[in-house]
Structure formats: C-alpha cells, structure tokens
Amino acid sequence: MLAAMLPYVCVLVLFGAHTALAAGEAGGSRLRWEPRCQPPLPDRVPSTAILPPRLNGPWISTGCEVRPGPEFLTRAYTFYPSRLFRAHQFYYEDPFCGEPAHSLLVKGKVRLRRASWVTRGATEADYYLHKVGIVFHSRRALLDVSGRLNQTRAGRDCARWLPPARAWMPGALYELRSARAQGDCLEALGLSMHELSLVRVQRRLQPQPRAAPRLVEELYLGDIHTDPAERRHYRPTGYQRPLQSALHHVRPCPACGLIARSDVHHPPVLPPPLALPLRLGGWWVSSGCEVRPAVLFLTRLFTFHGHSRSWEGYYHHFSDPACQQPTFTVYAAGRYTRGTPSTRVRGGTELVFEVTRAHVTPMDQVTTAMLNFSEPRSCGGAGAWSVGTERDVTATNGCLPLGIRLPHVEYELFKMEQDPLGQSLLFIGQRPTDGSSPDTPEKRPTSYQAPLVLCGEAPDFSRPPQHRPLLQKHPSTGGLRVAPLPLLPLVLGLAFLYWL
C-alpha cells in the first residue's frame, strides 16, 4: 500500500503527521480526523545502535517467520568471541511453525568490516561457511528436498549425500557442505546466508504491563530477496525481521524459551497463535522506523473504512535509520476489494487495492529542488514546490520523479495477529526487492512487512454529525527540523521507491 523509539506510540505524535480523512475546507485549511493514540511516556527512551555491533551470545526468533516463497521458519543463532558462529534454521510445513519439516545446522566464521556506505546505521561483514548439515523430521520433507535437488545437475551431485527415502533415519544429520562434501549445495537448494553480510545491533526499552520498561537487544540481519533465483547474487541493503537476545528479549514471549532450548535434532514446536478475522477498520501505524532495500527509511499510517472498503495512507520517508530527518511524505487513497483466503500462503487473505488519489509533501530542500526541476506536468500542476507544502498530484496521474503512477492496482496479502500483550497487529505483503510493484496476480506477495499496530478506531461516517468525533485543524509542519542531505542517497532511494 525513529529506530523503535517509542513502541506502540502513534507515529503521528512523534513526527507531527496526521491522518488523511479530509472532512472539508475551512479558510484554505483542510480539516481532518485525528486519531486518539497513546501519548509518549517520560520513561521511554530512544533506541540506541551499538557501534561496532556486539554479536556475542545467543539470538533467537520471537515467533514464526515468513520468508518469500513462502517459507516458514524460526532461527537460533549463536556468535562466539572467536568470530565463529553456529546458526540453526528450523523449517516447517505450516505457517504457525507447529509441524517441523527439516532443520539446518550452519557453522562458520563472520568478520565485521566497516560501516555500510549504502545502508546508514548498518555494518558490512564477511562470512565463511565451514559446515552445513540437514536433519529431516519426516519422510515427506526428505522427498521434497531431494526433488528440488534433482532438478539441476549441481543439485543431483548434492542429492547423493542424502539417503533414499526408504533408508531415511529420523534424527540423522546429513552433510551438505564440509571438508568431505564439497560443492555449493546451498545454491542448489535456493538457500543463502548472505543475511550475515549486513548487521545492525540496537537496544531499546520495551514497555511492560504494570511494570518498569525492560531492556531489549535486537539483531538485524540482511533482508532476503523476494525472488529465490536472485538470492545467490543479492547483497542485502535492508533488513529482515530482527532476532532478539535470548537474555534480553520482549516479555511475555511464549515462543522464546522453546526456540532458545531447541537444537537441530529437536526443533521448537510453537503453540498456535490466536486466530483473528481480518477486520481492517481503524488506524494502523508503524511501531518504529522501518527499513527497506535501497536506502529507504519510513513510517506508515493507514486508515481503513470497512463499511465502504476505502483506505487512506501516509508514507513518511526519512534519510536516517532513526526516522528523524524527513525527506518527503506521500498521501495515497483509494478502494479495496473484499478479501478471500489465500491458497498459497495459509493464514493470509488476498485483496486487490486500487490507488486513485495521491498528494506529495517535500520535507527538505533537496527533494524540493528535485521536484522543481522535474519535467512540467510530471508531478502536480503548475507552480513552484516549497518545503512542507502538500500538493495534489492526482491530475498529473501521479508523480513521475517519485515513481508514483495513477491510477494503480496492487495485488495484496494481509493477515492479522495478536501479540502476547493483546495488541492487534496487521501484516501487509512484502514489497518486491527489485523495486517493482505487485501489479499482477503472479507478483502477489508471499511474505510480509513489519507489522502495523492498531492505533484507534476510525470514525463512522454513517453516524449523524452530532455523534462523530470532533474535527481538528491540520497540524502545522513548520516546526519540523529539516536537514539538507547529499543528493546521492536520495537518488538511490527514489530509484527503488516502494511507496505502498
């Protein structure tokens, strides 16, 4: 469609953003509904990046992860002071990580190099794999992996290290890479550990119910390319869902103990999550600063109106991994179809979104200058752009310099979950890594972005005016601190703009 500075605090409060429900015009100022979000508390502090990253210790998933494909897995990685590491990846048949298929044991060495010049706040690293082993937890999983290997010549060479189905032994570890089993069997399986080439470690305080905030340490590793054929060559510029320190993780966390105590022979079997029907009505906001490939930092705000199946969204873009230096904001609106259960990603719902309106607000001098030097009528009507001023780009069919095209259709994947604290979470499909749009059914996502958090209920326009919430003036953006930026990071970001 602020690096976790204040979890579950409405992003609007932090950055002076606002919802996009235009209720009328009054003296040239747009009137909009304001969500009622939890105000920031004085004991909450910004997250802190650890530079250079300190990897030592065990890191675990906090729940079932979904990778493009789809693949369902949990992870448990341990890094040692000697730079050696041991990684467990547990793969499952189901999207709830309750039916183990196979487990990977990866051993190797990782060396931190330098601060990334592409992804601000990240550190580049080199890694070398010493050993890769696989354990099958069912005969079906063995047949599935063997079938994938036998599709290529290189895969057939790797398949000879696996037993025939009739000779499979539960719990046996079969080597895919070692001093004895040479060759790149990971490539034949479509697997990659390039995630270790981009690293970020940060600390933050996690609010606790009826208790003092708790320290949480998070390890962000490089993102996984949405096209499996590109994973061997792709070097990450974004992140996947973070691992958390087994010693300093969110609480309560029903999955954490199970994953921390697991090994390659005993994969964690997670309890099924509370199933939630897809009810989109309300305001949904980012819980922190989100990072996407190709130098994009942003926060999102969505408003869904279930009775009319219309939606509106704000995409606030920034130049830094703390989301404190705004570059531009995109407001988009349109309609969506009734959802149908996904046959490809169990637990997901497929929808089709139409984008019919868009507004753009440049928030720094570089973006403003770029828009002013763009081709006439390629982004809004005649007239000069100025910092902090919103302009409608619907009449020009979008904004060509920012890659916005109108009207536009996207084939989406949604799901809802509830975290252990009872907070509703909304997962929206992951954007293609190559910067394209899921504008055909074949490109519909098979994995998810970082979840949005329910901020408040949307107003019901079917009610009489006297029963609606009060209207408030659109907050001024003049008080935002604007930092001029080098042109290169902006150009790189705009070249791969995923604004939905």
Side-chain angles (χ1 to χ4, degrees):
M1 211 219 336
L2 190 153
M5 179 174 284
L6 302 178
Y8 301 145
V9 175
C10 185
V11 179
L12 316 188
V13 176
L14 295 176
F15 301 116
H18 46 274
T19 61
L21 284 176
E25 303 287 339
S29 299
R30 304 182 70 189
L31 298 177
R32 303 170 188 252
W33 298 100
E34 291 293 327
R36 298 295 185 262
C37 295
Q38 181 181 354
L41 300 178
D43 58 354
R44 290 177 177 169
V45 298
S47 63
T48 303
I50 307 300
L51 295 174
R54 292 199 289 268
L55 300 181
N56 295 347
W59 302 86
I60 56 175
S61 304
T62 56
C64 191
E65 302 179 14
V66 183
R67 283 184 174 178
E71 295 176 340
F72 311 108
L73 76 159
T74 57
R75 296 176 291 159
Y77 294 1
T78 302
F79 296 89
Y80 302 95
S82 60
R83 297 181 180 173
L84 296 175
F85 73 89
R86 181 189 65 198
H88 287 129
Q89 294 184 351
F90 308 103
Y91 290 83
Y92 299 83
E93 302 282 357
D94 67 304
F96 313 115
C97 293
E99 303 173 18
H102 64 272
S103 300
L104 289 181
L105 170 63
V106 183
K107 293 184 178 180
K109 193 169 188 176
V110 62
R111 180 176 66 91
L112 300 177
R113 295 174 55 206
R114 58 176 179 266
S116 172
W117 68 273
V118 175
T119 307
R120 291 182 60 184
T123 298
E124 296 178 357
D126 291 327
Y127 72 93
Y128 180 77
L129 301 184
H130 299 156
K131 178 179 179 180
V132 178
I134 188 169
V135 174
F136 298 99
H137 305 298
S138 70
R139 185 171 281 103
R140 174 182 173 182
L142 171 60
L143 293 173
D144 177 65
V145 170
S146 297
R148 289 158 56 189
L149 289 174
N150 284 320
Q151 293 177 0
T152 63
R153 180 176 179 179
R156 286 190 290 272
D157 292 338
C158 294
R160 63 190 180 93
W161 298 106
L162 302 180
R166 62 179 180 276
W168 166 67
M169 295 179 59
L173 177 67
Y174 302 98
E175 293 182 343
L176 295 178
R177 183 188 181 99
S178 67
R180 183 174 66 90
Q182 294 296 331
D184 195 350
C185 295
L186 288 186
E187 178 188 350
L189 280 174
L191 301 173
S192 169
M193 289 300 293
H194 290 335
E195 61 188 279
L196 295 175
S197 62
L198 194 70
V199 176
R200 176 181 171 89
V201 175
Q202 68 180 28
R203 292 175 177 170
R204 62 181 175 86
L205 289 181
Q206 172 72 25
Q208 297 292 305
R210 298 179 298 278
R214 181 181 181 86
L215 178 67
V216 172
E217 293 187 356
E218 297 175 317
L219 170 60
Y220 287 82
L221 297 177
D223 61 305
I224 307 299
H225 202 289
T226 53
D227 183 355
E230 298 293 331
R231 291 182 185 175
R232 179 191 176 193
H233 309 284
Y234 176 66
R235 290 301 183 269
T237 56
Y239 305 118
Q240 56 184 306
R241 180 172 173 173
L243 301 174
Q244 293 191 358
S245 167
L247 304 177
H248 305 287
H249 59 80
V250 295
R251 295 178 185 272
C253 178
C256 292
L258 297 173
I259 298 173
R261 293 190 298 268
S262 61
D263 59 49
V264 70
H265 302 287
H266 305 91
V269 178
L270 303 190
L274 177 63
L276 293 180
L278 188 65
R279 296 176 178 172
L280 297 180
W283 282 286
W284 300 87
V285 298
S286 302
S287 62
C289 191
E290 300 176 8
V291 182
R292 294 184 184 174
V295 206
L296 284 178
F297 307 100
L298 76 160
T299 59
R300 296 174 291 157
L301 163 70
F302 284 98
T303 307
F304 297 99
H305 306 284
H307 64 282
S308 61
R309 287 205 289 276
S310 61
W311 69 277
E312 300 169 280
Y314 264 90
Y315 308 82
H316 298 273
H317 291 259
F318 302 84
S319 64
D320 66 301
C323 285
Q324 293 182 345
Q325 298 173 0
T327 55
F328 66 96
T329 292
V330 175
Y331 159 70
R335 302 180 66 84
Y336 61 94
T337 63
R338 187 184 301 275
T340 58
S342 174
T343 57
R344 191 174 180 186
V345 185
R346 283 175 51 194
T349 300
E350 296 180 351
L351 304 98
V352 178
F353 276 73
E354 183 180 15
V355 188
T356 57
R357 292 183 292 142
H359 298 173
V360 171
T361 307
M363 300 301 296
D364 71 343
Q365 298 290 352
V366 173
T367 309
T368 303
M370 182 196 67
L371 294 175
N372 278 325
F373 281 104
S374 61
E375 289 292 330
R377 306 294 297 178
S378 66
C379 185
W385 290 86
S386 60
V387 174
T389 300
E390 181 184 75
R391 294 184 63 182
D392 191 338
V393 298
T394 305
T396 54
N397 298 322
C399 182
L400 184 60
L402 298 182
I404 301 172
R405 304 186 310 276
L406 296 177
H408 182 64
V409 173
E410 296 209 345
Y411 294 82
E412 266 296 356
L413 181 71
F414 276 47
K415 75 170 180 178
M416 282 184 60
E417 289 185 0
Q418 191 175 80
D419 69 12
L421 295 176
Q423 176 70 54
S424 296
L425 306 177
L426 176 63
F427 293 81
I428 301 178
Q430 184 176 351
R431 303 295 87 187
T433 306
D434 64 5
S436 63
S437 172
D439 52 6
T440 65
E442 295 74 24
K443 296 176 68 174
R444 189 188 300 273
T446 56
S447 57
Y448 302 98
Q449 303 176 52
L452 301 173
V453 181
L454 182 62
C455 179
E457 297 299 324
D460 184 357
F461 286 99
S462 63
R463 290 185 294 177
Q466 62 268 27
H467 298 298
R468 299 177 188 168
L470 292 176
L471 287 172
Q472 298 180 2
K473 284 278 187 178
H474 183 298
S476 172
T477 56
L480 284 175
R481 179 172 58 89
V482 178
L485 303 169
L487 183 59
L488 178 60
L490 178 65
V491 172
L492 289 173
L494 297 181
F496 293 88
L497 174 63
Y498 324 140
W499 57 280
L500 276 181

